[in-house]
Amino acid sequence: MKLYTYFRSSAAYRVRIALNLKGLEYQAVPVHLLRGGGEQLADAYRQVNPSALVPTLVDDNGVAIGQSLAILEYLEETRPDAPLLPGDAAGRAHVRALALALVADTHPLGNLRVLKYIKGELGQSEEAKLAWQRHWLREGLVTFDAMLSRAGNRGRYCHGATPTLADCCLVPHLFSARRFEVDLAPFPALVRIDAACAQLPAFQLAHPARQPDCE
Amino acid sequence: MKLYTYFRSSAAYRVRIALNLKGLEYQAVPVHLLRGGGEQLADAYRQVNPSALVPTLVDDNGVAIGQSLAILEYLEETRPDAPLLPGDAAGRAHVRALALALVADTHPLGNLRVLKYIKGELGQSEEAKLAWQRHWLREGLVTFDAMLSRAGNRGRYCHGATPTLADCCLVPHLFSARRFEVDLAPFPALVRIDAACAQLPAFQLAHPARQPDCE
């Protein structure tokens, strides 16, 4: 398998964690989002992934998948060992909703193309752009935390005794939140889960600082 | 089943289509996103869905699910008749990636809370807000169209001989695109699929204009 990845992309980070949790080997193909005006925008990459976003997984059978959550579901279906979804439909719905609260409702707002629009078309300052990023990162944490509380979670991970898709999404989100100096003090439960994940080699090896394209 | 819904919400519209395609009866509970400062923000609704977003599905067994795509996957797992995902893993990955290109990468940018921030915190005009909405609606169509082309789609629907999750997401997206006067001329393949879907009662009955809370 080949993973088109960028060390600091939350979406790519999620997939790296899942690949590691399932013990799958892959070849990392770095796509530099800033260099040369953005390698993801080049025709060569658009032919791999028409959305011009990272990551893309290309399986050995040639199947190419963009969209991190579609990749995680595909891995779950084709490599069911070390499951990342619980065994019951209600549990799976909860885990998917947790993942989507970050993947859908939060992450796209901080995407590079959106930040460019904020500074370009909307003529906002660097400071206003940072406030925007922090605002939505924090909103994501508030919702995620409320969803865990509502489910009565007091476990080591987001749901059940092993990491799920929800943990694959939470950890990169917290990485971004720290990078942009969002105060994590109001979210002790999330920080605790993050610390538990950080003890696992699958999460350690997926960290942006450990990637070959890290600057 | 109970569906907390708002007639014009794309996310609720997706779920209504899926419920109809599967022939499932449900009780619609309208949540007015504008009235009284937003009924979705009230404590009563937050207790149903901590994200304070519509829709929420509450199954007869009490399971409550926010996030439209998590709801669609749950319905697919628990009510497998009239499948909304293809039978092969590669096909499922493609359909999920199509859905996420709209659900994750596009729709959240036009959400009410985001538009409020654009006008409030960023001090943008109504015109600039509209341009923002149109820009991202169009971007979603460009990506979706490129993904269909890349897959060599020439079928009646987005994938295969029957509607899938991708169609459940495309049709509400096109409804919004028309509402905000995005030029659809560059997307004949998408308009054609939309027209095919519009012939099915499941899509007709899910249309915003047919909802009890439509104004």
Side-chain angles (χ1 to χ4, degrees), chain A residues 65-190:
Chain A
I65 315 165
Q67 291 293 342
S68 62
L69 215 51
I71 298 173
L72 299 184
E73 296 272 0
Y74 175 81
L75 291 174
E76 186 68 2
E77 291 185 351
T78 58
R79 278 82 169 178
D81 285 348
L84 301 177
L85 284 169
D88 62 309
R92 282 193 296 275
H94 177 55
V95 165
R96 284 181 175 127
L98 283 167
L100 284 159
L102 302 180
V103 171
D105 285 342
T106 312
H107 176 74
L109 295 161
N111 243 337
L112 196 58
R113 57 183 194 156
V114 175
L115 302 179
K116 275 185 188 160
Y117 193 104
I118 300 262
K119 288 195 78 173
E121 281 85 340
L122 301 190
Q124 297 290 315
S125 65
E126 180 66 22
E127 201 176 331
K129 188 202 79 174
L130 273 170
W132 163 279
Q133 289 178 279
R134 287 189 189 117
H135 176 80
W136 298 114
L137 284 164
R138 197 182 304 110
E139 282 293 300
L141 294 173
V142 168
T143 296
F144 198 96
D145 192 48
M147 290 171 77
L148 285 188
S149 291
R150 191 184 184 285
N153 177 282
R154 294 165 177 274
R156 189 167 172 79
Y157 304 111
C158 290
H159 182 85
T162 52
T164 61
L165 294 194
D167 303 278
C168 293
C169 296
L170 175 63
V171 167
H173 189 87
L174 285 170
F175 170 79
S176 292
R178 286 196 180 95
R179 186 176 156 220
F180 293 107
E181 297 172 346
V182 174
D183 180 15
L184 298 182
F187 311 107
L190 306 187

Side-chain angles (χ1 to χ4, degrees), chain B residues 27 46 86 136 184 188:
Chain B
Q27 181 200 344
R46 279 187 198 272
W136 298 114
L184 298 182

Side-chain angles (χ1 to χ4, degrees), chain A residues 47-48 50-51 53 67 70 73 77 92-93 96-97 100-101 104-105 108-109 113 117 122 124 132 135 143 146 150, chain B residues 47-48 50-51 53 67 70 73 77 92 96-97 100-101 104-105 108-109 113 117 122 124 132 135 143 146 150:
Chain A
Q47 276 168 32
V48 178
S51 77
L53 297 167
Q67 291 293 342
E73 296 272 0
E77 291 185 351
R92 282 193 296 275
R96 284 181 175 127
L100 284 159
D105 285 342
L109 295 161
R113 57 183 194 156
Y117 193 104
L122 301 190
Q124 297 290 315
W132 163 279
H135 176 80
T143 296
R150 191 184 184 285
Chain B
Q47 274 166 32
V48 177
S51 77
L53 297 167
Q67 290 295 340
E73 295 272 359
E77 291 185 351
R92 282 193 295 275
R96 285 180 174 128
L100 285 160
D105 285 342
L109 295 161
R113 57 183 195 157
Y117 193 103
L122 301 189
Q124 297 290 314
W132 161 278
H135 176 81
T143 296
R150 191 182 184 284

